[in-house]
Amino acid sequence: MTWRQALLLSCFSAVVLLSNAKQKIFMQESDASNFLKRRSKRSPKPRDEVNAENRQKLRADELRREYYEEQRNEFENFVEEQNDEQEERSREAVEQWRQWHYDGLHPSYLYNRHHI
């Protein structure tokens, strides 16, 4: 057998194999059109599809819950800082008032002051 005959034989066998593989790889046109529409609108969903949808909904709920919890924590921290600042300003004002009105005779507490 010459090299030309070997080459022709190998090319012919490759063509035969590819034609058989083409039939196995590619679908018929009727099957391809119905591939994505496996069920009608009234038929029940398969259990796997229902489970997948439920997992997606649960994950979305969890992400939403985490987001709102984070937002709430940030707002609570902001409010706490605001209240602390207000309390500090108020304490400073009271302390200044006590220093200004201290008469030197009694302890500098408002509840120890004598009233005239």
Side-chain angles (χ1 to χ4, degrees), residues 79-95:
V79 168
E80 187 176 349
E81 288 177 11
Q82 293 289 81
N83 289 341
D84 289 347
E85 290 175 6
Q86 180 64 34
E87 186 179 325
E88 179 70 23
R89 285 193 296 270
S90 175
R91 191 167 359 111
E92 288 175 358
V94 168
E95 188 63 31

Side-chain angles (χ1 to χ4, degrees), residues 43-91:
S43 65
K45 294 180 182 177
R47 179 54 56 191
D48 294 338
E49 189 176 345
V50 171
N51 289 340
E53 287 180 4
N54 286 339
R55 279 194 304 271
Q56 285 178 339
K57 289 178 185 176
L58 289 174
R59 180 67 181 144
D61 289 344
E62 183 182 350
L63 290 175
R64 191 178 309 111
R65 195 178 313 113
E66 289 176 0
Y67 171 77
Y68 284 119
E69 183 178 357
E70 184 178 338
Q71 294 294 318
R72 186 177 61 242
N73 289 340
E74 287 180 8
F75 180 72
E76 287 174 356
N77 291 340
F78 170 76
V79 168
E80 187 176 349
E81 288 177 11
Q82 293 289 81
N83 289 341
D84 289 347
E85 290 175 6
Q86 180 64 34
E87 186 179 325
E88 179 70 23
R89 285 193 296 270
S90 175
R91 191 167 359 111

Side-chain angles (χ1 to χ4, degrees), residues 6-18:
L7 181 64
L8 280 174
L9 183 62
S10 64
C11 288
F12 180 71
S13 63
V15 168
V16 169
L17 287 174
L18 286 177

